[in-house]
Amino acid sequence: SAIGNTASMVTFGGAEPVAVAISAVAPKVMQLPADVVSLAAPEIRATYKGDLVWSISKGSSSSLKKDYRSEGIMRVSTKSIGIRSGIADNTLPSHWWMVIETTNAYYNIQFIGSGSRIELRRSTSEGNCDEAGLAEAQRFVLTKPVHENSYSCSVSNKTLGDVIDWLDAGNFSSYYDLWTNNCQHLCKAIYKWI
């Protein structure tokens, strides 16, 4: 063109051989082998994070460590994710869990499908609580759960011991039923009571 390449004008044409070399080599360098690309974003199954500190199964519960009973609840957040099946993700109902944030830790409470059991796990982060929920739904670590805003709120007058006492008193059955008493019902019942 009449104006010419700006780089050529500034460098008096000295940059042209370098630009030609880069344009010839760059496409080949940028092509990474498939196994290197797969290492960049591995699909790692979620695992149950946190310490199991309490559970109830068919009306029989374990005791909650005394130190945890007095922890004041600051916030509850309900999460959900489509359950992974052998055919495709999100083809089955969603799994729900609740993250209970206290003055000292985070807790995940959820129904565990095998054995009609409600478990409470203590963790150091909300992310670990979410991973425990993802594990029950057989999902991958990097899967982002849905935050159920309608069943999440700040709390000011309940302790972790209050929640356990409420469940131990039979206010919510630990007998799992897909249609009438499942993980969604558990989260909604705790939210309504809190």
Side-chain angles (χ1 to χ4, degrees):
S1 86
I3 298 173
N5 181 314
T6 306
S8 294
M9 289 174 22
V10 172
T11 61
F12 303 103
E16 287 179 26
V18 175
V20 170
I22 289 174
S23 67
V25 174
K28 292 177 179 63
V29 171
M30 296 308 293
Q31 293 175 353
L32 297 174
D35 57 338
V36 172
V37 172
S38 67
L39 288 175
E43 291 187 335
I44 300 169
R45 289 275 186 191
T47 58
Y48 293 96
K49 296 283 184 174
D51 298 325
L52 180 62
V53 295
W54 178 86
S55 66
I56 186 169
S57 179
K58 300 178 182 171
S60 177
S61 71
S62 63
S63 60
L64 179 66
K65 190 175 176 182
K66 193 173 186 177
D67 295 348
Y68 304 151
R69 291 190 63 78
S70 62
E71 289 184 27
I73 298 174
M74 299 177 1
R75 180 175 63 99
V76 294
S77 301
T78 300
K79 311 283 183 86
S80 70
I81 193 74
I83 297 173
R84 184 177 177 87
S85 71
I87 300 167
D89 289 348
N90 300 323
T91 57
L92 297 174
S94 293
H95 173 64
W96 287 34
W97 65 94
M98 184 174 275
V99 176
I100 301 171
E101 181 182 353
T102 71
T103 50
N104 297 336
Y106 293 86
Y107 292 85
N108 165 301
I109 189 163
Q110 64 182 337
F111 248 120
I112 302 299
S114 59
S116 282
R117 189 171 69 252
I118 298 171
E119 289 186 352
L120 181 71
R121 291 182 173 275
R122 186 175 204 267
S123 293
T124 57
S125 72
E126 187 171 357
N128 283 346
C129 290
D130 287 345
E131 187 169 341
L134 293 171
E136 182 61 22
Q138 302 174 23
R139 298 304 294 264
F140 295 115
V141 171
L142 298 178
T143 308
K144 185 168 174 47
V146 174
H147 186 266
E148 300 292 342
N149 290 322
S150 297
Y151 301 101
S152 302
C153 66
S154 295
V155 180
S156 61
N157 60 348
K158 301 282 187 204
T159 66
L160 198 59
D162 293 335
V163 174
I164 299 309
D165 292 343
W166 183 80
L167 288 165
D168 277 341
N171 290 297
F172 187 85
S173 174
S174 59
Y175 286 87
Y176 182 87
D177 181 270
L178 180 62
W179 306 112
T180 62
N181 201 61
N182 61 36
C183 53
Q184 292 179 28
H185 297 110
L186 171 66
C187 292
K188 289 177 181 181
I190 292 172
Y191 172 81
K192 185 178 176 181
W193 171 75
I194 261 182

